[in-house]
Amino acid sequence: MRSPLDTRTASNTDMSCTCPPRSDVMTVHTPTRHVRRLSRKRRAALGAISLACCCAVAAALPSGASASPEAPRSADKKASAAAFADEFDGPAGSPVDSSKWQTETGDNVNNHERQYYTPGGDNAQLDGEGHLVITARKENPSNYQCWYGTCEYTSSRLNTANTFTQTYGHVEAKMKIPRGQGMWPAFWMLGADMGDVGWPASGEIDIMENVGFEPGTVHGTLHGPGYSGGGGIGADYSLPGGEDFADDFHTFAVDWAPDSITWSVDGNVFQTRTPADLDGKEWVFDKPFFLILNLAVGGDWPGDPDGGTTFPQELVVDHVRVETDDAAPPA
């Protein structure tokens, strides 16, 4: 449930990026390429890309959302093909693969977030064990300036705007989120036509957002013209028994088809949205979108960190995968 992002265009001599709307100039730095080793985890992933669907417990269904016991892709799994996959294999300390991800830099005034997104691998590195680690720190050794003055925190935000876009398919990330008041991790998508039509006409699909004051709940939301910010269309999913999402890895996914988007956590569907949910407003989700991973600190929705929030905090990503089938070819 994002408030409108500020408008900022990112570019450098090698590439230009249609980044989420921001109010001043943002630069995108391309991380240094690195040699990736083919780990056992990577080989297994190439052989079988699937949701964890055997041990998750179904969440309570919010009003207005439809449900089924597991994500609908399972019946068509044999027909699926990988359009995008990053298993984050590589030496510890390596930056992300620049052929797949771009690093955004800057702050975010419209959400009133407190972090500065740093370049390169300063706050986003591989851990050498098959994970990407996005780290939020309460430090600012480079004296970055934010909308409120000298930035108090640093973090990272990655996108595929210039490297990969997709229309339809199964989109998932397996992640272990951070904990604490003021933390705001997200896995989401924006319309690739952002630079032409702006936000929210571009559309936004929030696959997973968590705010730190709700440690056991995640949100999935659509934003578009006439239903953006606090008026986005979505639902939430809560773990049973008072569990926290920061305690373990979970798989967050959408199954996206013409005129339909279905959200699931660990294979458990918790909402499906169609044009019928928009009360006549425009459905803007039948076109290419790009992926975004970020860890924000503070902001209008989560509130700022307090005395109980410890740093550093980490968003640990096991993999990001996009699959298509014969009915949903790559964009």
Side-chain angles (χ1 to χ4, degrees):
M1 193 179 298
R2 268 170 203 278
S3 60
L5 303 172
D6 40 342
T7 303
R8 186 179 299 195
T9 301
S11 64
N12 60 24
T13 56
D14 299 320
M15 64 204 300
S16 62
C17 167
T18 305
C19 293
R22 306 182 66 98
S23 59
D24 51 353
V25 175
M26 170 181 284
T27 56
V28 171
H29 297 262
T30 305
T32 303
R33 294 293 298 276
H34 61 277
V35 178
R36 303 175 72 230
R37 60 183 174 83
L38 190 63
S39 70
R40 181 171 60 183
K41 170 173 168 271
R42 173 63 170 162
R43 292 193 299 268
L46 291 173
I49 300 177
S50 62
L51 288 170
C53 60
C54 298
C55 59
V57 180
L61 182 69
S63 60
S66 59
S68 63
E70 61 181 30
R73 66 182 292 270
S74 58
D76 300 323
K77 183 164 58 177
K78 64 182 179 181
S80 66
F84 177 95
D86 200 338
E87 310 297 323
F88 302 110
D89 295 317
S94 299
V96 291
D97 185 343
S98 62
S99 71
K100 297 179 178 179
W101 300 97
Q102 301 173 110
T103 303
E104 298 182 35
T105 63
D107 63 347
N108 192 323
V109 59
N110 280 5
N111 284 333
H112 296 114
E113 298 166 18
R114 309 294 291 188
Q115 82 293 324
Y116 187 93
Y117 290 125
T118 63
D122 289 354
N123 291 76
Q125 297 182 352
L126 307 186
D127 68 357
E129 299 180 357
H131 305 117
L132 163 67
V133 182
I134 296 178
T135 304
R137 299 187 177 94
K138 190 175 182 179
E139 64 179 24
N140 182 7
S142 298
N143 198 36
Y144 294 118
Q145 298 299 301
C146 286
W147 59 270
Y148 57 88
T150 301
C151 306
E152 299 175 73
Y153 308 92
T154 58
S155 188
S156 187
R157 173 161 151 168
L158 310 173
N159 74 59
T160 68
N162 272 8
T163 59
F164 173 78
T165 63
Q166 179 65 34
T167 306
Y168 311 136
H170 175 84
V171 184
E172 73 168 44
K174 183 177 181 181
M175 305 187 293
K176 185 177 181 181
I177 69 172
R179 71 174 77 240
Q181 168 59 35
M183 295 297 100
W184 188 3
F187 175 46
W188 49 302
M189 298 190 289
L190 282 170
D193 60 354
M194 166 94 68
D196 296 323
V197 302
W199 187 94
S202 61
E204 176 177 329
I205 303 171
D206 296 330
I207 302 172
M208 187 288 300
E209 291 185 282
N210 168 264
V211 285
F213 60 80
E214 296 177 331
T217 300
V218 294
H219 299 260
T221 313
L222 294 180
H223 301 270
Y227 50 100
S228 62
I233 307 297
D236 57 70
Y237 177 98
S238 295
L239 290 172
E243 297 177 27
D244 291 351
F245 276 100
D247 292 337
D248 205 350
F249 285 89
H250 296 274
T251 301
F252 307 97
V254 293
D255 285 275
W256 177 22
D259 291 339
S260 175
I261 303 175
T262 296
W263 283 255
S264 62
V265 175
D266 297 329
N268 296 307
V269 171
F270 68 96
Q271 70 168 330
T272 294
R273 297 295 173 183
T274 71
D277 293 304
L278 303 185
D279 295 327
K281 300 179 180 70
E282 184 181 5
W283 176 268
V284 291
F285 307 102
D286 294 319
K287 61 185 180 182
F289 276 65
F290 61 89
L291 309 175
I292 304 171
L293 278 170
N294 72 285
L295 173 54
V297 180
D300 296 326
W301 185 19
D304 292 342
D306 60 20
T309 309
T310 60
F311 287 91
Q313 287 291 325
E314 296 179 341
L315 173 61
V316 184
V317 187
D318 180 79
H319 67 252
V320 175
R321 300 171 187 159
V322 180
E323 299 174 15
T324 64
D325 56 38
D326 292 340

